[in-house]
Amino acid sequence: MAFYVTTPIYYVNAAPHLGHAYTTIGADILARHHRQRGEDVFFLTGTDEHGEPVALAAEREGVTPKELADRNATRFQALLPRINASNDFFIRTSDPRHKERVQAFMQRIHDHGHVYKGVYEGWYCPRCADFKSDNEIAEGNTCPIHRIPLDRENEENWFFRLSSFQEQLERLYAENPTFVAPQQRANEARSFITGGLNDISLSRAKISWGVEVPWDPQHVFYVWFDALLNYYTALSFGAGDHDRTAELWPATLQILAKDILKFHAVIWPAMLLAAGEELPKQLFIHGYLTMKDASGEDVKMSKSLGNVLDPFEVMDKFGTDALRYYCFREVSFGQDGAVSTIGFESRYETELANDYGNLASRTIAMIARYRDGRTPAAEPDPALQKDFDGLTREVTELLDKAEITQALERIWQRVRRLNRYVEEQAPWKLAKDDAQQGRLDAVLASLAEGLRVVTVLLHAYMPETTERLMGALGQDGGFAIAGAELGRGTPGTVTPLDPPLFPKQA
Ligand SMILES: [Zn+2]
């Protein structure tokens, strides 16, 4: 079984920020989870490098667009190991292999009769690399996003007959209500479509930094056509030593932020239909992490971090796993929500350091003290068993719907259950009573097993921490999801955690 997940490719002129990290970590959590299920996973990310904004920036700096793209792409590549992304490939749209496949794909669309030459006139924002329709422009013919005056452009272009896909797209959304998730985003996509689709410009004649139109080399493809195709072209050269398109296409899940919904939910499926290709199984649209609270005020300042949640600063001080955890714990994946340094520090302390880190330290310390470091072999306590029954199935079902936050909540409920179990059973009391030694074995074995199970399930979220804890528990059974049931571990020799998993910050 294959699981192919993508992030959008990031525009190479931007500087990597929390939003890029967020999308990529979300895709990474799902990729890692599906690897734990033993599936054939392919996880793709990369950079979008063509278009006028790159050409203009390069001109300003006196370098070639390729030189600028090379330099800027390395900033995105450098982000990946820092956030512990396990992507299988990093595609760059300036890669000649990508260009060749774009040309072949677009030639198919041409040969199927879905393009024609026409004259385009409209308002164009060079920084969006996009024409704006009359209802998309701000006062004084400016770009509502960039607040710069728009150029009135008029040129001979190739057009894509998007309008001819109106009915097919309407049917797609009617017959496949989860093609776009969450539901609210599917509704938005449908309203774009039912509002009436116009043909769109497919090429640009005035710029040369792009993929040449094979049937008219005076033109390059409009950057969005070239960029969207990365999801398809990468499989032919980036997925191993042979073309794996037949094995991995269509994509299982494409993750993106809501600002690029229209391109992905309307134009992208139309392009695939035009070429006679299968459509991705699902597009998942996530929201924004904002730095404002519900009343629109800037979120509060904290003592140890600044006002703005800077992902690099968080990772430097608290570790990558803490950032990965916080972003998906604080804001439900798919919704907008506020993140803050105060919120981060609070969850770090109460949840990571206390709930999880302290549970791990105590469990291991008690096994070391009372059982000389050997985890007792005993059946899991039925009192705990009933609270763990069905957990793994719940988590996998939620993650099948990309409900990363809800799955994390279910796991965390069991982390808290284990802490209550320690208090209920009070192993320190059992240890003092010779008649309770069998009971103490059962309690310690159950705790170690419960901790192992949540750790297997948390692995996709916090890969480094969970590796370390599994080592400290003396477990060599690995992270296969099939093993995430109480009683499936092999009792090992524990090693005290020093320093603890999430040290308190001074
Ligand atoms: Zn703009």
Side-chain angles (χ1 to χ4, degrees), residues 125 127-128 132 143 145-146:
C125 173
R127 291 179 56 197
C128 291
K132 304 277 168 192
C143 171
I145 298 162
H146 295 105

Side-chain angles (χ1 to χ4, degrees), residues 133-159:
S133 65
D134 286 341
N135 55 15
E136 284 173 332
I137 60 178
E139 213 173 312
N141 302 323
T142 55
C143 171
I145 298 162
H146 295 105
R147 301 182 185 289
I148 54 172
L150 298 171
D151 306 324
R152 190 74 186 168
E153 302 232 352
N154 177 330
E155 65 173 32
E156 198 167 53
N157 269 342
W158 288 94
F159 281 75

